[in-house]
Amino acid sequence: MDEQPRLMHSHAGVGMAGHPGLPQHMQEGTGGTDGDGRKQDIGDILQQIMTITDQSLDEAQARKHALNCHRMKPALFNVLCEIKEKTVLSIRGAQEEEPPDPQLMRLDNMLLAEGVSGPEKGGGSAAAAAAAAASGGAGADNSAEHSDYRAKLSQIRQIYHTELEKYEQACNEFTTHVMNLLREQSRTRPISPKEIERMVSIIHRKFSSIQMQLKQSTCEAVMILRSRFLDARRKRRNFNKQATEILNEYFYSHLSNPYPSEEAKEELAKKCSITVAQVSNWFGNKRIRYKKNIGKFQEEANMYAARTAVSATNASAHGSQANSPSTPNSAVLLLQLQK
DNA sequence: ATTAATGATTAGGA
DNA sequence: TCCTAATCATTAAT
């Protein structure tokens, strides 16, 4: 019972400001007897609240309007917002600052590099040009394939953009809708602009995660397309017979050291009308495959050795003792031993 | 339909 | 950087 007067004091403090809008008896309590009068006032207010459902709709509306127009209303609203802000912030103030998602950045960079998300036409052609350069100038036959590739890429690009736009639009629509709703509600319950802002950012986060999924699947599609069209392994053509002969000739005549110099590679590349890189690939493959199974290549080795021997003897002393290709000559045996 | 051959790519080492 | 070794993906042969 001694608790009561103290609690009442704080309430009375608000009431004692003497607003014209407050019920008459509440102001009367200030001057009169201390304890009993206020208890009476509280009882009245409670009574009013209990019977509020009995009031007519118009009456309630009028009361609400009066409350909204009250000159202390903005201040009270701010106080409530502040209190709410504090509690909300204390609940989840930690996860406010979000660093830019590295995953998303990776996807963005890749889409940009592939010319999907870049400027309208320039990016695509640049990527195609880079791809053409990377595939090696094996001939003029790949222009058709590249146009096919470009067509598919632009298809992906178009889908990506329309989807992205759809998401963007949906996000904006939803955001404005929510904002309007919140603004409307902020007339009747404490919602600060900051809170609306936070809500908007939450919505944006949700939508951007959806966008990330779109980016992810677009990246996958591009990767598949790339491997489908741009991987040189997929459109491999065997070298022509003549080129293979030239390469084998060099290989077997340098069997003790089958590592052509840069100049030798260039020469071979020119003679075979392939690139230096292809020459290097060929020698790399040949060396390892020869080493792995010398027996299998024995016949081939004999053949080329014999051929060079024949051409050599023919060239030097127009001789007529033709070596049969099936009989290994001394040069071959020598080379085998050295290896 | 399988299998071998072959050109290209990749990881990892000196 | 160039090499080896393993592997991939296609072509040629069976």
Side-chain angles (χ1 to χ4, degrees), chain A residues 142-199:
Chain A
N142 49 16
S143 67
E145 289 177 39
H146 278 143
S147 76
D148 200 2
Y149 169 80
R150 216 154 2 174
K152 290 247 161 60
L153 188 69
S154 79
Q155 203 176 326
I156 290 175
R157 170 201 188 82
Q158 196 187 338
I159 291 170
Y160 171 78
H161 277 118
T162 56
E163 289 296 308
L164 203 64
E165 202 165 319
K166 257 198 274 180
Y167 287 151
E168 203 84 40
Q169 201 179 330
C171 181
N172 284 338
E173 259 170 44
F174 191 68
T175 303
T176 53
H177 181 72
V178 168
M179 272 173 75
N180 286 338
L181 211 64
L182 288 178
R183 261 203 279 273
E184 181 65 32
Q185 290 201 349
S186 73
R187 284 150 57 106
T188 52
R189 65 189 183 93
I191 299 171
S192 67
K194 204 173 171 184
E195 210 176 337
I196 295 177
E197 207 175 286
R198 192 178 309 141
M199 198 63 183

Side-chain angles (χ1 to χ4, degrees), chain A residues 62-303:
Chain A
R63 201 170 280 275
K64 187 173 150 192
H65 183 71
L67 202 64
N68 270 334
C69 295
H70 195 279
R71 65 185 172 87
M72 287 299 279
K73 191 244 177 185
L76 184 62
F77 185 83
N78 281 341
V79 169
L80 288 172
C81 280
E82 219 170 283
I83 291 167
K84 196 176 167 193
E85 189 71 33
K86 271 179 195 154
T87 52
V88 167
L89 280 181
S90 68
I91 287 168
R92 40 134 212 218
Q95 47 121 301
E96 268 310 321
E97 294 298 319
E98 62 190 301
D101 188 353
Q103 171 93 4
L104 184 61
M105 277 178 58
R106 211 171 48 92
L107 289 176
D108 275 336
N109 285 339
M110 186 188 148
L111 288 174
L112 204 61
E114 295 298 332
V116 174
S117 63
E120 189 46 49
K121 214 65 188 166
S125 59
S135 76
D141 68 306
N142 49 16
S143 67
E145 289 177 39
H146 278 143
S147 76
D148 200 2
Y149 169 80
R150 216 154 2 174
K152 290 247 161 60
L153 188 69
S154 79
Q155 203 176 326
I156 290 175
R157 170 201 188 82
Q158 196 187 338
I159 291 170
Y160 171 78
H161 277 118
T162 56
E163 289 296 308
L164 203 64
E165 202 165 319
K166 257 198 274 180
Y167 287 151
E168 203 84 40
Q169 201 179 330
C171 181
N172 284 338
E173 259 170 44
F174 191 68
T175 303
T176 53
H177 181 72
V178 168
M179 272 173 75
N180 286 338
L181 211 64
L182 288 178
R183 261 203 279 273
E184 181 65 32
Q185 290 201 349
S186 73
R187 284 150 57 106
T188 52
R189 65 189 183 93
I191 299 171
S192 67
K194 204 173 171 184
E195 210 176 337
I196 295 177
E197 207 175 286
R198 192 178 309 141
M199 198 63 183
V200 167
S201 89
I202 287 170
I203 292 168
H204 281 160
R205 223 174 300 161
K206 287 278 181 222
F207 271 89
S208 80
S209 85
I210 294 171
Q211 280 190 3
M212 193 159 113
Q213 282 182 346
L214 172 68
K215 284 174 182 176
Q216 180 105 48
S217 58
T218 305
C219 272
E220 273 168 32
V222 170
M223 290 311 271
I224 289 167
L225 188 70
R226 265 188 88 85
S227 70
R228 193 84 179 70
F229 281 85
L230 266 32
D231 187 345
R233 281 179 292 199
R234 288 195 183 268
K235 47 182 199 294
R236 178 177 70 76
R237 292 289 113 89
N238 288 355
F239 299 151
N240 63 41
K241 195 113 183 156
Q242 198 184 347
T244 313
E245 297 243 323
I246 292 166
L247 293 167
N248 271 318
E249 221 163 83
Y250 187 98
F251 180 78
Y252 286 111
S253 61
H254 299 76
L255 203 50
S256 59
N257 185 32
Y259 295 89
S261 64
E262 190 59 33
E263 297 85 56
K265 279 183 192 170
E266 275 166 28
E267 173 115 15
L268 285 166
K270 199 154 69 171
K271 273 203 264 187
C272 302
S273 49
I274 58 178
T275 66
V276 173
Q278 285 178 303
V279 172
S280 296
N281 282 341
W282 191 91
F283 273 89
N285 282 322
K286 191 73 184 181
R287 279 192 298 265
I288 190 67
R289 282 162 185 166
Y290 179 83
K291 198 183 88 175
K292 248 180 163 172
N293 191 353
I294 293 175
K296 197 172 74 182
F297 289 92
Q298 193 65 64
E299 207 176 324
E300 193 178 70
N302 293 340
M303 196 180 83

Side-chain angles (χ1 to χ4, degrees), chain A residues 17-29:
Chain A
H19 303 314
L22 283 176
Q24 197 63 25
H25 48 256
M26 235 178 139
Q27 298 196 20
E28 283 171 356

